[in-house]
Amino acid sequence: MTWHVTVRRLHKAGNAPDEYEDAAHTTAQGAHSEPAGVGARTERLAVADGATESALSGEWARMLAQELCECPLRTLSDPHAFRAVVTSLADRWPAWLRSYVRGLGRPLHYWEPRLLTDGAAATVLAVALASVPGDGGPPDSWTWQAAAVGDCELFQVRDGLLVTAFPLTTGEAFGRTPALVHSLEALGPGGAERVTRAQGVALPGDVLLLASDALAAWALFAHEGGTPPWDTLTRTARGADTQFPQLITQLRADGVLRNDDVTLVAAVLGGEPGDPDTRDLRDTREKADDDHP
């Protein structure tokens, strides 16, 4: 049984690549194979979106995405543990910022100290994916759990159809003031309430798509408008390096995608969607579930 993870990203039109303020981190990228008899293994995927109005938000987003791929697994199921992890990261921010300023090798411009003092902010989504071994063989399903602050989005897709959208479920739900993780106060007083959580089961052939907000909003609006984008996103993520920028550029030109940094992580589980062997395995599993309510 195989699975495949790809990461695609593109900066805002009109900006330089080094002005990209999103982030993605995974503990596995590329094609992988589960050997027979392997025990349950867990992989991590994360996407973060730096708030443009805050200084160094891209750096903060990268730190968040990496930290949430390396923290204890219970962080994604316990909002208080999540808060503790991001608070610890925020505690390390001042030392990182001092090192950053020293590394500039120049005096700060008159307007920079205020921006740096205000700190950085980002939304973030983290997913843990664990294989469930079959009877002495490769996995016949995966469990996933996710935690999010803000509007980075997880889509679970099966045979081209949306199974789960998390944390937002409609295009209209995307607004201009999402919840944020801040480099100075993390989630703030009572901040554990800002952490949303979900969990589920994925079958062979399922696709998990993690997207930053602009792409996620477009995808949900397209889905609601009767033009599901899931196969397009999956093919583009797994295609040539030029395909994702071409898609995003066309969507922006069409006026249906806001000009923002865009990030997409695609995880295809157990082979290509619609593969006959995958479909037979899923049908067998679902029949067994029907026989044993």
Side-chain angles (χ1 to χ4, degrees):
M1 191 75 68
T2 61
W3 50 282
H4 194 279
V5 177
T6 53
V7 178
R8 300 295 183 191
R9 51 174 64 88
L10 188 66
H11 54 282
K12 298 181 184 73
N15 281 11
D18 62 3
E19 294 178 286
Y20 167 83
E21 294 173 324
D22 281 2
H25 193 82
T26 76
T27 57
Q29 190 169 344
H32 303 266
S33 179
E34 293 276 8
V38 70
R41 77 187 252 188
T42 302
E43 303 295 353
R44 304 291 189 91
L45 314 168
V47 168
D49 183 353
T52 300
E53 62 273 13
S54 63
L56 300 177
S57 62
E59 297 293 343
W60 176 241
R62 283 186 280 278
M63 293 168 69
L64 279 172
Q66 181 173 349
E67 189 77 8
L68 290 171
C69 281
E70 298 174 353
C71 63
L73 184 59
R74 72 183 184 91
T75 302
L76 304 190
S77 60
D78 181 350
H80 298 286
F82 186 102
R83 180 184 178 189
V85 166
V86 297
T87 298
S88 175
L89 186 63
D91 290 342
R92 304 198 296 273
W93 178 258
W96 180 91
L97 187 58
R98 288 192 294 271
S99 177
Y100 169 82
V101 171
R102 287 195 300 268
L104 289 176
R106 61 166 175 81
L108 294 176
H109 297 299
Y110 74 92
W111 45 266
E112 287 181 303
R114 179 183 60 81
L115 287 177
L116 297 179
T117 300
D118 288 344
T123 62
V124 68
L125 162 72
V127 178
L129 182 68
S131 59
V132 180
D135 295 335
D140 58 4
S141 66
W142 290 259
T143 60
W144 60 263
Q145 54 183 303
V149 177
D151 53 10
C152 289
E153 190 81 2
L154 168 67
F155 301 114
Q156 180 183 356
V157 180
R158 181 174 300 153
D159 290 334
L161 302 177
L162 182 63
V163 176
T164 300
F166 167 81
L168 306 180
T169 58
T170 67
E172 291 292 344
F174 288 84
R176 294 186 176 274
T177 56
L180 296 166
V181 183
H182 202 281
S183 66
L184 298 184
E185 59 180 7
L187 297 174
E193 298 173 0
R194 300 183 187 179
V195 183
T196 55
R197 294 163 290 139
Q199 61 184 2
V201 175
L203 301 178
D206 283 7
V207 181
L208 299 184
L209 299 169
L210 284 69
S212 53
D213 64 333
L215 186 61
W218 166 78
L220 277 175
F221 277 123
H223 169 74
E224 293 162 358
T227 309
W230 318 118
D231 288 344
T232 296
L233 288 174
T234 303
R235 287 196 306 270
T236 303
R238 299 196 63 190
D241 291 346
T242 57
Q243 291 187 23
F244 185 71
Q246 288 172 350
L247 172 66
I248 299 304
T249 300
Q250 186 60 58
L251 293 174
R252 288 171 176 168
D254 292 342
V256 295
L257 179 65
R258 179 166 50 88
N259 184 26
D260 195 4
D261 296 320
V262 176
T263 304
L264 176 66
V265 176
V268 180
L269 308 178
E272 296 284 357
D275 177 80
D277 293 337
T278 296
R279 198 162 49 240
D280 291 346
L281 177 57
R282 183 168 59 250
D283 290 345
T284 299
R285 181 178 176 84
E286 290 173 348
K287 184 177 187 303
D289 292 340
D290 291 341
D291 291 342
H292 298 86

